[in-house]
Amino acid sequence: MARLYGLLFLAQVVLAVFALISCLSAEDGEIRALPRIAWVLIILFFPLIGSIAWFAAGREPSARRSRTAWPMGNGFSERERPRPVAPDDDPAFLSSLADRARREDQERLRRWEEDLRRREDELRRPDGDRDRPEV
């Protein structure tokens, strides 16, 4: 019997957590009857009754919501827009990083080659000319 009560208590806690998440993540236009803070307090103080009341009367029914479980048409409802792609998932951004790295490497190589030529020229000059700076 104690296991049954423990299981029922766990189910009540899970239902209350889902109701809180649903209430806190609902947009302002989706909440009915009471303000959001009132729903949160009802769910916290009366977990079982408050959770059932939230799902029954506190939010818009699923049929009215524009979100669908399976995207149809262009894949987005009127309210949802495509989310921006993260930089590490954007092929254009990754290719721009590769291009920038390639340009920086070429510039670094050009500077090293200039420095090497300058040093070689200094070594080829007669000993007396090494003390004078190049003009």
Side-chain angles (χ1 to χ4, degrees), residues 1-33:
M1 197 66 163
R3 288 184 182 175
L4 178 63
Y5 288 139
L7 186 62
L8 290 175
F9 177 75
L10 183 65
Q12 176 182 346
V13 169
V14 168
L15 181 65
V17 167
F18 281 133
L20 274 174
I21 291 171
S22 175
C23 179
L24 293 173
S25 65
E27 294 179 14
D28 289 335
E30 296 176 343
I31 299 175
R32 295 189 304 172

Side-chain angles (χ1 to χ4, degrees), residues 104-114:
E104 289 173 356
D105 288 345
Q106 288 173 349
E107 177 63 23
R108 188 177 305 122
L109 181 61
R110 185 189 61 76
R111 281 186 276 141
W112 285 348
E113 287 175 344
E114 286 176 3

Side-chain angles (χ1 to χ4, degrees), residues 5-121:
Y5 288 139
L7 186 62
L8 290 175
F9 177 75
L10 183 65
Q12 176 182 346
V13 169
V14 168
L15 181 65
V17 167
F18 281 133
L20 274 174
I21 291 171
S22 175
C23 179
L24 293 173
S25 65
E27 294 179 14
D28 289 335
E30 296 176 343
I31 299 175
R32 295 189 304 172
L34 296 172
R36 182 187 318 261
I37 189 70
W39 280 114
V40 169
L41 292 175
I42 290 171
I43 293 169
L44 287 175
F45 289 129
F46 309 104
L48 183 61
I49 302 299
S51 301
I52 293 171
W54 165 252
F55 287 119
R59 66 183 183 135
E60 290 289 325
S62 298
R64 289 187 187 170
R65 299 172 81 183
S66 62
R67 298 179 189 156
T68 59
W70 184 261
M72 298 179 164
N74 65 358
F76 305 104
S77 68
E78 294 122 22
R79 296 167 79 189
E80 292 181 27
R81 298 286 175 242
R83 293 183 179 174
V85 178
D88 56 345
D89 292 337
D90 187 7
F93 177 74
L94 294 175
S95 66
S96 73
L97 284 180
D99 292 342
R100 185 172 55 179
R102 192 176 312 112
R103 284 192 307 266
E104 289 173 356
D105 288 345
Q106 288 173 349
E107 177 63 23
R108 188 177 305 122
L109 181 61
R110 185 189 61 76
R111 281 186 276 141
W112 285 348
E113 287 175 344
E114 286 176 3
D115 187 45
L116 181 62
R117 278 190 210 106
R118 183 184 51 80
R119 290 179 185 208
E120 286 176 347
D121 288 343

